[in-house]
Amino acid sequence: MKEILHKVINFINLHTGEEDRLKVLENVKANISFRGSNFWILACAIVVACVGLNVNSTAVVIGAMLISPLMGPIVGAGFGLGIYDFNLLKKALKNLLIATIVGLVVSTFYFYLSPFKETQSELLSRTSPNIYDIFIAFFGGLVGVIAITRVEKGNPIPGVAIATALMPPLCTAGYGLAIGNYSYFFGAIYLYVINCVFICIATFLIVKYLKYPSAKQIDETKEKKVKYAMTSLILVMIIPSVYFAYILIQEKKYNQKIELFISDEFTAKGYTILYKKIKTNVSPKNIELVFLAKKTSDDELKVLNKRLKTYGVENTELKIRQDTTDIKKYISNQINFEKATINKKDLTILELEKQIKRNNYNNAVILAEAKIIFPEIENLSISNHIYDENTEKAQIIPVLVYKSKRELNRASKTKFVLWLQQRLSKEKVEVYRQI
């Protein structure tokens, strides 16, 4: 039994595969400062994150998370606390503060200048942190620090950068400042602080578990102060996030009850709903519906409002819009929107067809015409080729390869090229003989 227990302990022992501690500390200290390349990487990450959030591109936001160097000073602060190196702690916090200010200034400036001010889902998801964000930050931080202290770093580092998501909430806070929405700003900055604090705490715990030697001797009183400060910080972060999590769960339960009510009372009975809007920021809350054909009397509406309570929906009023003018206008708008979408698709298809025709040549017809002027040509093939692709000098040039018993002389080739330019309506054509 002892042998099995010993094997299990060795199997999960974090000291196995541990990197040299001096080397780990050197790497941690090197990644704290935002100077030189780190500064430029930070600036690029901020811009990339802002663009991703602005156009609602998850892929771009993930890219910003991967290139962001913000983890460096946070991990440095955790190591500084863990080994009681307060100079390291001060340096890490100073650099983190600088990075935070730079991030806020750049993101605010970007969103202020951006013509697109709509609050996208990528932005909105960073304005209401809850207890789950704490779990993500803490366990993501644990994985990151464990990976940093390993000889083989492996794959966790990119995953940690994505999971802990430091850059997007910082840029979302800048968005809140740019549009003057301070609830967005405080929600996003709170999420950013949560991530920073719990990554730091995770780092502190791993450093203590691995028993990194203290940088200086510290008395028990100071050690207790550090522990009390961290405990207080954890409570300050957790209590509001638990409240936000409770609000989120209640909101989801409310929406589920509303969907069940609509499904049972209308959809299951064959009534087509054209429009649905739920307002939760008013008192009482509102459910607004528009039907395709159903007419609802005042008495029926009162009964439906009473039935809401049987579904556990309190402080909510059901409103059914029955103004035929509004319904016709809604249907007309939907039809016009569909028509516009179809027309846009038709135009796109037509343009693509034209492009395909422009880029494809009827080799048989061109060969028949060419043989009349140049009898020595036996066969030919022509197609478009892109030169200097992905540059400002990119151009599409038709390239013709002909087959003949002997090569065209200079005068015939010049005449052939001029004829092709006229025939294809192209300024430039390249001609080669098949060898």
Side-chain angles (χ1 to χ4, degrees):
M1 186 66 184
K2 287 183 178 180
E3 188 177 344
I4 294 171
L5 185 62
H6 181 69
K7 285 182 179 179
V8 170
I9 291 170
N10 284 337
F11 185 74
I12 62 172
N13 191 355
L14 276 181
H15 291 285
T16 305
E18 190 180 350
E19 176 67 278
D20 178 70
R21 296 181 178 187
L22 289 175
K23 191 174 180 180
V24 171
L25 283 170
E26 284 175 9
N27 290 334
V28 168
K29 290 175 181 177
N31 289 322
I32 286 174
S33 180
F34 286 107
R35 291 176 184 170
S37 61
N38 265 6
F39 176 81
W40 286 104
I41 291 170
L42 174 67
C44 292
I46 293 166
V47 174
V48 170
C50 288
V51 172
L53 292 166
N54 205 190
V55 300
N56 209 39
S57 172
T58 305
V60 176
V61 174
I62 288 172
M65 296 178 200
L66 287 170
I67 63 176
S68 168
L70 278 172
M71 278 279 286
I74 300 170
V75 171
F79 265 88
L81 280 171
I83 62 174
Y84 303 111
D85 187 340
F86 296 111
N87 288 328
L88 175 61
L89 176 63
K90 287 176 185 177
K91 185 180 178 183
L93 292 177
K94 178 185 172 183
N95 280 278
L96 181 60
L97 180 62
I98 292 169
T100 302
I101 293 170
V102 170
L104 281 174
V105 170
V106 173
S107 58
T108 302
F109 187 67
Y110 170 85
F111 284 112
Y112 181 77
L113 294 178
S114 173
F116 308 107
K117 297 289 193 295
E118 186 181 351
T119 306
Q120 304 286 2
S121 59
E122 284 290 339
L123 285 162
L124 200 59
S125 64
R126 270 95 188 179
T127 58
S128 301
N130 54 63
I131 191 69
Y132 303 112
D133 293 301
I134 287 179
F135 292 148
I136 293 168
F138 179 72
F139 289 103
L142 284 179
V143 174
V145 180
I146 290 169
I148 288 169
T149 59
R150 303 299 96 188
V151 174
E152 297 291 335
K153 307 300 179 188
N155 298 323
I157 300 297
V160 171
I162 296 169
T164 52
L166 292 161
M167 189 59 72
L170 182 60
C171 294
T172 302
Y175 169 77
L177 287 175
I179 66 170
N181 190 321
Y182 296 107
S183 66
Y184 284 178
F185 168 75
F186 287 114
I189 208 71
Y190 178 53
L191 175 57
Y192 174 72
V193 172
I194 281 175
N195 288 341
C196 292
V197 168
F198 281 90
I199 292 169
C200 180
I201 290 168
T203 304
F204 171 82
L205 293 176
I206 292 297
V207 169
K208 298 305 288 181
Y209 175 80
L210 292 175
K211 296 180 180 177
Y212 271 64
S214 298
K216 59 177 74 175
Q217 293 297 321
I218 185 168
D219 57 52
E220 288 185 10
T221 305
K222 286 188 177 180
E223 190 172 347
K224 283 181 180 179
K225 283 183 180 179
V226 170
K227 289 178 180 177
Y228 290 149
M230 296 200 73
T231 304
S232 302
L233 196 57
I234 290 169
L235 290 173
V236 168
M237 293 292 108
I238 285 178
I239 292 169
S241 64
V242 170
Y243 170 74
F244 284 126
Y246 173 77
I247 295 296
L248 178 67
I249 292 167
Q250 293 302 114
E251 188 177 328
K252 285 188 176 181
K253 285 182 178 178
Y254 177 82
N255 287 330
Q256 285 172 355
K257 290 173 183 176
I258 295 295
E259 292 300 329
L260 181 62
F261 168 76
I262 292 172
S263 176
D264 288 352
E265 299 296 329
F266 305 113
T267 310
K269 294 177 181 178
Y271 300 122
T272 302
I273 298 172
L274 292 177
Y275 174 84
K276 176 180 72 176
K277 189 172 184 180
I278 301 170
K279 294 180 181 178
T280 57
N281 57 347
V282 294
S283 185
K285 298 171 185 176
N286 287 339
I287 307 168
E288 200 170 286
L289 300 175
V290 174
F291 294 98
L292 179 62
K294 176 178 168 56
K295 294 292 182 182
T296 308
S297 65
D298 290 341
D299 291 338
E300 190 179 356
L301 186 59
K302 287 178 182 177
V303 171
L304 286 168
N305 270 295
K306 287 179 180 178
R307 284 189 61 78
L308 274 171
K309 294 180 180 179
T310 65
Y311 289 84
V313 180
E314 301 289 342
N315 191 34
T316 303
E317 182 183 1
L318 174 65
K319 293 182 178 179
I320 298 177
R321 286 169 54 184
Q322 301 186 90
D323 188 337
T324 55
T325 305
D326 286 346
I327 296 171
K328 286 176 181 177
K329 186 178 179 182
Y330 175 81
I331 294 172
S332 176
N333 289 339
Q334 286 295 104
I335 292 169
N336 291 334
F337 175 76
E338 293 295 331
K339 281 183 178 178
T341 305
I342 291 168
N343 290 338
K344 188 176 179 182
K345 287 179 180 177
D346 288 342
L347 288 171
T348 304
I349 291 167
L350 185 63
E351 185 61 34
L352 288 170
E353 286 176 348
K354 287 180 180 178
Q355 191 174 343
I356 289 168
K357 287 178 181 178
R358 285 198 300 269
N359 293 340
N360 285 278
Y361 304 97
N362 193 326
N363 289 327
V365 173
I366 294 172
L367 175 62
E369 294 175 6
K371 278 186 173 182
I372 297 170
I373 308 169
F374 308 96
E376 56 266 57
I377 293 177
E378 298 174 354
N379 205 345
L380 61 79
S381 177
I382 184 168
S383 62
N384 284 338
H385 287 259
I386 302 173
Y387 289 80
D388 299 319
E389 191 174 1
N390 300 323
T391 68
E392 293 180 359
K393 297 179 181 179
Q395 54 182 332
I396 300 172
I397 300 174
V399 176
L400 182 142
V401 179
Y402 70 90
K403 185 179 180 182
S404 63
K405 290 180 180 177
R406 65 179 183 276
E407 190 169 357
L408 295 174
N409 59 40
R410 183 176 295 178
S412 295
K413 189 172 181 180
T414 302
K415 184 180 178 182
F416 187 32
V417 170
L418 290 171
W419 174 77
L420 281 170
Q421 288 173 342
Q422 183 67 29
R423 171 68 176 73
L424 304 175
S425 301
K426 299 289 184 180
E427 292 182 4
K428 189 174 181 181
V429 178
E430 293 190 9
V431 175
Y432 301 95
R433 177 171 173 261
Q434 180 183 343
I435 299 173

